[in-house]
Amino acid sequence: MGAKTYFVINYGCQMNESDTEHYAGQLEELGYRPAGDFHDADLIIVNTCCVRESAEKKIAGKIGELKALKTKNPELIICVAGCMAQKDGAKLIKKHPQVDIVLGTAYVNDFKDILLDFLVQRRRKGRVYDDLTIHQSEFEGKMVRQSNFEAWIPIMYGCNNYCTYCIVPYVRGRERSRSVENIVAEIEQAVQEGYKEFTLLGQNVNSYGKEFGIENAFAKLIRRVNDIPGVERVRYMTSHPKDMSEELIKAVAECEHVCENFHVPFQSGSDTILKQMNRGYNLERYHHLIDTIRKYVPHAAITTDIIVGFPGETEEDFQATLKLVQEVEFDAAFTFIYSKRSGTPAAKMENQVPLAVKHERLNELMEVQNLNSLKCNEKLVGQVVEVLAEGPSKNPEVWSGRSRTNKLVLWPLEGKTYQLGEKVYVKVDTAQTWLVKGKAVDHE
Ligand code: 5AD
Ligand code: SF4
């Protein structure tokens, strides 16, 4: 009999993608091999997200689909991990008896032991691990990363902010930071394996290390990672405008390998709504932050997250959001329709906005933002950008990669060959809303 196989069905944010790479690493340490398709796997992990209702519905459908596979093959092991697992716990097994293990978000690094225990003791009844207060163990061991030159590096878990719309603090727990030593060791190991680009992950990276009592711990971490030999690019996400410091912006300006890309979610351009959201900053502070970024890093790309249709959002509030989008001219924005998450304060607020109005506002916002994105990309025409080659685009004769400012860049091979992760210089000649195109040039 050949080796047992696994498949992870992943949903949600980069943190989930990173957790998936941890699960895959632990499974391979146990001798599992990747399956090409989940239908053929001996073990399936569904790594879930519950930030919006739409995601949750889709995932519940997928878990339901697995029932037929389990009926066909009772030996199949089904594990539901991630934020929905944390939120619903034992309810998930009640609803979906085909699930064997419900793995909450604090157990990522303990998955291997939990699985071994399950294999030894194999009982009919599903197991639930959903204690959020346990201290997640530091990561050690193997990792199976999706890319072979870009690596996700979680630096902290959880969130203490309690934005009133957001479920994350309830399913990811209080903020806990990894030690600098553990983070640096993981990056050094990945450099040895050929990794070049590192994205430091956390729900609110600007409060990294607060529990260590070190001032500006995140800015210091960025500088430390920048100095690791072999690290070519450093990115990080997500920042919170309330906690982003001038020290961090200076660190980005001064560190050669840290990319000039600031993702600063503002969520709403109305002070009234920001207060209702419990965001901890106002428009003035946000503008000041943007001005500081532009002062120290003039060519930075600035991106954001925006929610429309938060309870009580009036037309006037929405216009304030549009105004901010026009003023800042973001390079890109992730725009969301407010989704009611039960258990969060906003779910109980009156004046929920009708869905039709939310859709109208979203469309209007996207139209304005798309023009901004195009405008920002047009500014790159004639410039040479540094790209790490990611591989062929839909057209095998045209390759794609990301610039330091995280723009998608396309260029024709013109008879040349490139390695994955190779540094390429592209002179931009065409700008579109979502990407720029150009030709590879020699770097002077
Ligand atoms: N509804 C809509 N969008 C949400 N986000 C978080 N919670 C909700 C919600 N309940 C958005 C925020 C956050 C991004 C990751 O998801 O914009 O920055
Ligand atoms: Fe959610 Fe706010 Fe924490 Fe981000 S900062 S994860 S939006 S509570």
Side-chain angles (χ1 to χ4, degrees):
M1 209 177 74
K4 295 274 185 201
T5 60
Y6 73 93
F7 195 95
V8 188
I9 307 174
N10 189 68
Y11 295 94
C13 64
Q14 290 83 0
M15 191 59 98
N16 264 20
E17 286 183 35
S18 165
D19 290 347
T20 284
E21 297 181 344
H22 279 80
Y23 295 135
Q26 294 175 64
L27 284 164
E28 296 201 9
E29 274 181 344
L30 292 177
Y32 279 80
R33 308 299 315 148
D37 185 283
F38 72 87
H39 292 97
D40 308 325
D42 298 300
L43 182 150
I44 300 171
I45 299 179
V46 188
N47 199 14
T48 61
C49 167
C50 64
V51 76
R52 277 170 290 276
E53 196 185 357
S54 49
E56 226 182 313
K57 278 195 174 144
K58 196 164 76 186
I59 298 166
K62 182 57 90 183
I63 299 171
E65 238 181 77
L66 302 181
K67 192 167 185 179
L69 290 180
K70 182 82 167 188
T71 312
K72 241 180 24 204
N73 171 17
E75 294 298 304
L76 171 68
I77 299 172
I78 300 175
C79 172
V80 176
C83 294
M84 240 170 104
Q86 186 63 50
K87 181 163 83 63
D88 295 341
K91 275 191 274 173
L92 260 174
I93 298 205
K94 232 175 163 181
K95 198 159 160 220
H96 303 282
Q98 69 274 26
V99 173
D100 296 293
I101 303 173
V102 172
L103 193 76
T105 55
Y107 294 86
V108 180
N109 295 335
D110 299 316
F111 173 63
K112 191 165 118 180
D113 293 337
I114 288 172
L115 178 61
L116 278 175
D117 194 51
F118 179 86
L119 291 171
V120 172
Q121 303 204 18
R122 201 154 183 173
R123 298 189 198 136
R124 288 259 168 78
K125 241 174 116 220
R127 308 275 188 91
V128 180
Y129 300 85
D130 62 353
D131 181 358
L132 251 188
T133 60
I134 65 154
H135 193 82
Q136 170 143 318
S137 53
E138 290 267 64
F139 170 69
E140 280 162 13
K142 189 176 155 79
M143 179 80 115
V144 176
R145 301 186 195 273
Q146 255 155 42
S147 157
N148 40 22
F149 68 95
E150 291 170 324
W152 305 118
I153 309 289
I155 60 164
M156 61 188 296
Y157 309 101
C159 179
N160 286 356
N161 286 315
Y162 291 99
C163 300
T164 54
Y165 51 82
C166 185
I167 192 110
V168 167
Y170 306 92
V171 293
R172 289 265 173 191
R174 301 290 67 72
E175 285 173 3
R176 287 97 66 205
S177 299
R178 275 176 80 183
S179 69
V180 175
E181 294 74 32
N182 194 239
I183 294 168
V184 170
E186 185 181 341
I187 296 176
E188 283 174 345
Q189 169 71 31
V191 167
Q192 296 268 312
E193 292 162 11
Y195 286 85
K196 296 182 168 154
E197 181 170 314
F198 297 86
T199 304
L200 311 182
L201 293 178
Q203 252 74 39
N204 176 12
V205 288
N206 304 98
S207 60
Y208 170 78
K210 269 195 182 152
E211 66 262 50
F212 306 151
I214 305 168
E215 239 179 273
N216 288 313
F218 184 58
K220 286 176 181 146
L221 178 71
I222 281 272
R223 289 181 189 275
R224 175 75 183 83
V225 173
N226 180 67
D227 290 343
I228 298 175
V231 167
E232 286 196 19
R233 279 182 175 181
V234 184
R235 301 186 189 278
Y236 54 90
M237 67 188 318
T238 290
S239 291
H240 195 305
K242 138 178 104 63
D243 297 316
M244 194 175 211
S245 65
E246 188 161 346
E247 278 316 304
L248 171 70
I249 300 170
K250 276 193 207 160
V252 175
E254 288 164 18
C255 289
E256 183 190 348
H257 301 292
V258 180
C259 293
E260 298 80 10
N261 180 198
F262 291 83
H263 183 65
V264 215
F266 75 79
Q267 314 297 2
S268 168
S270 150
D271 279 344
T272 325
I273 297 293
L274 286 174
K275 205 159 192 181
Q276 291 290 313
M277 287 177 161
N278 188 31
R279 288 290 287 173
Y281 56 87
N282 58 16
L283 256 190
E284 194 189 337
R285 150 94 192 151
Y286 191 80
H287 274 297
H288 176 70
L289 190 62
I290 298 294
D291 292 345
T292 314
I293 294 173
R294 301 249 195 252
K295 176 175 135 197
Y296 287 107
V297 196
H299 301 297
I302 304 181
T303 57
T304 198
D305 292 350
I306 309 165
I307 297 177
V308 297
F310 181 83
E313 186 188 69
T314 61
E315 186 55 32
E316 202 184 339
D317 294 321
F318 174 63
Q319 289 303 325
T321 292
L322 280 183
K323 184 162 174 266
L324 184 58
V325 168
Q326 268 152 342
E327 283 168 355
V328 177
E329 282 195 1
F330 292 97
D331 288 78
F334 297 91
T335 51
F336 305 104
I337 280 183
Y338 167 71
S339 169
K340 204 170 165 178
R341 306 284 57 212
S342 70
T344 62
K348 292 189 220 81
M349 289 180 186
E350 286 166 14
N351 305 323
Q352 298 281 332
V353 176
L355 190 60
V357 176
K358 289 181 183 167
H359 277 290
E360 257 170 52
R361 289 182 184 167
L362 183 76
N363 289 340
E364 200 176 335
L365 178 61
M366 281 172 21
E367 246 172 66
V368 172
Q369 178 48 44
N370 288 350
L371 285 176
N372 277 341
S373 299
L374 181 60
K375 241 189 201 169
C376 291
N377 286 348
E378 278 168 349
K379 286 187 199 147
L380 294 176
V381 173
Q383 288 185 28
V384 175
V385 292
E386 176 206 289
V387 177
L388 295 189
E390 260 173 43
S393 65
K394 272 184 230 144
N395 174 353
E397 292 303 307
V398 177
W399 269 45
S400 75
R402 295 265 163 189
S403 70
R404 287 176 64 103
T405 53
N406 213 18
K407 306 273 182 189
L408 184 60
V409 181
L410 265 55
W411 73 98
L413 284 182
E414 296 177 314
K416 293 207 191 84
T417 52
Y418 297 96
Q419 304 288 319
L420 292 183
E422 182 178 337
K423 208 176 260 181
V424 183
Y425 292 89
V426 177
K427 183 161 186 183
V428 177
D429 53 35
T430 312
Q432 296 177 1
T433 308
W434 311 115
L435 52 89
V436 296
K437 294 177 179 171
K439 294 234 157 69
V441 292
D442 291 333
H443 186 51
E444 61 276 3

